[in-house]
């Protein structure tokens, strides 16, 4: 009995760690619950239940040796490579290639893994994307350098402030303010011409597109709590971005 209870607890820990990694790195709620249920079933546990929200995961196992575990989600970002890695580990578990101990070790290593792309590469990608967005909105080719500088700088500010401070939405507010200020200065100095399009293209890398998509998908899958929570977070993020730009326009 004691051995069975320990096994149930170990399986619950593996399921929770897999769910935590996915939820912290941009995974949808329904995908997290499905992955946890599949992992539990692969280890011979058919009666498992999970309740997933953006801020926590509750997982329980029924039967003669029940187990219930709770994990808190305090940080969320976007790193789909980790989500894909958890999916790969889950498939290997389903094929019987891993024991509970091996699975937990692989997941722990995935949790500690550094992002595939460093902050510098992310900033470079955001800068290039800002210029491309400006062209997509029919901006002038001469304004691309201004959008690249403003978008890259703003993204760097958002990433840096997000690591240093735990105040939600402040990073996006400050980053959009910097973008608006740089855009205004570029137009004032003659480096850019169309202020509106430069601002729009530069703030696009900050827009919570994945969060909005996950909110809609969770609502369509019936996860009302998670869908509404993510939708509210996306709305507040968009409001912070708009407030930062509006503050620059108001001051000038």
């Amino acid at each position: 009995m004691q051995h069975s209870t320990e096994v149930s607890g170990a399986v619950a820990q593996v399921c929770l760690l897999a769910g935590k990694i996915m939820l912290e790195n941009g995974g949808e709620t329904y995908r997290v619950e499905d992955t946890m249920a599949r992992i539990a079933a692969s280890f011979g546990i058919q009666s498992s239940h999970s309740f997933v929200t953006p801020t926590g995961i509750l997982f329980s196992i029924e039967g003669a040796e029940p187990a219930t575990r709770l994990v808190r989600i305090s940080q969320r970002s976007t790193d789909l490579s980790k989500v894909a890695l958890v999916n790969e580990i889950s498939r290997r578990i389903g094929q019987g290639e891993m024991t509970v101990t091996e699975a937990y070790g692989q997941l722990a290593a995935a949790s500690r893994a550094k992002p595939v792309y460093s902050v510098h590469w992310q900033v470079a990608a955001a800068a290039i994307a800002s210029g491309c967005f400006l062209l997509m909105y029919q901006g002038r080719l001469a304004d691309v350098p201004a959008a690249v500088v403003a978008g890259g700088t703003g993204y760097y500010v958002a990433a840096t402030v997000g690591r240093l401070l735990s105040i939600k939405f402040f990073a996006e507010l400050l980053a959009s303010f910097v973008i608006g200020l740089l855009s205004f200065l570029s137009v004032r100095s003659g480096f850019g011409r169309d202020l509106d399009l430069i601002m729009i293209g530069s703030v696009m890398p900050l827009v919570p597109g994945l969060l909005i998509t996950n909110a809609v998908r969770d609502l369509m899958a019936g996860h009302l709590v998670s869908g509404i929570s993510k939708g509210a977070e996306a709305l507040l993020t968009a409001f912070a971005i708009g407030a930062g730009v509006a503050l620059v326009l108001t001051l000038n």
Side-chain angles (χ1 to χ4, degrees), residues 5-252:
T5 303
E6 292 178 355
V7 171
S8 297
V11 172
Q13 292 291 352
V14 170
C15 294
L16 273 179
L17 183 56
K20 179 181 179 182
I21 296 172
M22 297 183 71
L23 199 60
E24 285 181 339
N25 293 281
E28 305 95 322
T29 299
Y30 76 90
R31 189 185 302 275
V32 173
E33 291 187 348
D34 180 69
T35 299
M36 295 169 67
R38 289 177 182 273
I39 291 175
S42 299
F43 286 125
I45 298 175
Q46 302 299 328
S47 299
S48 63
H49 304 278
S50 59
F51 181 71
V52 179
T53 69
T55 56
I57 302 176
L58 181 64
F59 183 78
S60 66
I61 295 175
E62 293 183 354
E65 298 81 27
T68 302
R69 299 289 187 275
L70 172 67
V71 64
R72 173 81 173 176
I73 307 296
S74 57
Q75 297 180 349
R76 293 185 299 278
S77 61
T78 302
D79 189 350
L80 298 182
S81 63
K82 288 190 176 183
V83 177
L85 185 56
V86 172
N87 287 333
E88 176 63 24
I89 294 174
S90 174
R91 284 191 289 268
R92 293 178 60 189
I93 292 173
Q95 295 170 0
E97 299 178 4
M98 287 186 179
T99 64
V100 175
T101 303
E102 292 172 343
Y104 188 86
Q106 292 283 335
L107 290 170
S111 178
R112 295 189 301 266
K114 295 181 179 180
V116 176
Y117 301 103
S118 65
V119 175
H120 297 90
W121 281 108
Q122 295 177 34
V123 170
I128 296 173
S130 298
C132 294
F133 277 119
L134 182 139
L135 294 177
M136 186 179 71
Y137 292 124
Q138 299 181 352
R140 303 182 183 185
L141 190 62
D143 288 336
V144 170
V148 168
V149 172
T153 304
Y155 191 89
Y156 177 77
V157 170
T160 303
V161 175
R163 292 197 308 268
L164 297 178
L165 299 179
S166 59
I167 304 176
K168 193 65 177 173
F169 312 116
F170 182 74
E172 289 82 1
L173 175 64
L174 184 58
S176 61
F177 176 81
V178 170
I179 288 174
L181 184 60
L182 290 176
S183 301
F184 177 80
L185 292 177
S186 67
V187 173
R188 177 64 64 89
S189 64
F191 185 58
R193 295 184 179 180
D194 196 325
L195 177 61
D196 293 340
L197 290 181
I198 293 174
M199 284 186 175
I200 292 172
S202 301
V203 300
M204 286 304 294
L206 301 178
V207 174
L210 180 63
L211 194 60
I212 295 173
T213 302
N214 286 350
V216 174
R217 295 186 69 175
D218 285 342
L219 286 173
M220 294 178 65
H223 297 279
L224 301 182
V225 174
S226 296
I228 293 174
S229 299
K230 292 179 180 179
E233 184 178 353
L235 180 63
L236 290 175
T237 302
F239 175 79
I241 295 172
V245 174
L247 183 59
V248 174
L249 297 177
T250 302
L251 295 177
N252 296 281

